[in-house]
Amino acid sequence: MSHDTTPLSFTRREFWSGAIAAWCAFMIILTVTLMISAIATAGMPWGSLGSTLLLYLLYGIPFGGIVAAIVTLLSLPIVWPLSRLLRRSESVTVHIVAYLLLGGLLGFAVCALNALSNGSGDVVTVFQSPVTWLVMLACAVSVAAGWAWAARTTLRLLHRRRAEATAPVSG
């Protein structure tokens, strides 16, 4: 389908670019969150700030990165139909809200599955944890950032094609 008739329709390449951007955004948020957590909890029993930072980052980044990559890949069959459904809407607000909601739902699903798999509670109690709300926020922002990256790339290409089509031919 042409980008001219559906300006926010992504090619598969642009879609994958957005998925990778969402994962990268999540990893940045995760790293910052781990660093803030390490600073807040430095001291006993973890030790100095340096050792706490090292501990949090050495375990948190690889584990979080793997989980985020798996969630990203597993969510693609949901995200692709959503992107196809929204392709004719030129409202950036509609797209951002849809992807924020989707990201929040993905974050909640991960927290709920974690709680249910380790027997630490039911789905209702998951909402009582501030960590759940932080994960939901991080996922929401990440998914919306992935969409924004893909949209920016798509629109930049569309504008370039339009400019080339209307440029005078020299010769």
Side-chain angles (χ1 to χ4, degrees):
M1 193 160 291
S2 167
H3 280 299
D4 290 325
T5 58
T6 55
L8 292 174
S9 177
F10 299 135
T11 64
R12 290 198 187 277
R13 183 177 185 167
E14 292 161 343
F15 179 78
W16 277 100
S17 173
I20 292 167
W23 182 84
C24 290
F26 182 83
M27 292 307 296
I28 291 167
I29 294 169
L30 175 65
T31 302
V32 170
T33 302
L34 288 171
M35 292 173 70
I36 291 169
S37 297
I39 291 167
T41 60
M44 294 305 287
W46 304 111
S48 70
L49 175 58
S51 63
T52 305
L53 267 172
L54 186 64
L55 178 70
Y56 276 44
L57 296 178
L58 280 177
Y59 288 101
I61 290 176
F63 179 75
I66 290 168
V67 170
I70 291 169
V71 170
T72 300
L73 291 173
L74 291 176
S75 69
L76 293 180
I78 298 166
V79 179
W80 179 254
L82 178 63
S83 74
R84 305 308 297 162
L85 180 70
L86 294 174
R87 73 182 180 264
R88 294 195 189 280
S89 172
E90 293 186 28
S91 171
V92 171
T93 302
V94 168
H95 285 263
I96 292 292
V97 168
Y99 287 100
L100 283 168
L101 289 172
L102 176 63
L105 287 172
L106 288 172
F108 174 76
V110 168
C111 291
L113 286 173
N114 180 53
L116 294 173
S117 69
N118 67 22
S120 64
D122 57 37
V123 175
V124 175
T125 60
V126 172
F127 277 115
Q128 297 171 347
S129 170
V131 172
T132 299
W133 293 98
L134 289 173
V135 170
M136 289 172 61
L137 178 62
C139 291
V141 169
S142 300
V143 172
W147 174 84
W149 178 268
R152 180 175 169 257
T153 304
T154 300
L155 292 173
R156 191 183 288 165
L157 179 62
L158 176 63
H159 292 308
R160 186 175 3 172
R161 285 182 181 161
R162 286 181 179 167
E164 289 171 358
T166 59
V169 177
S170 61

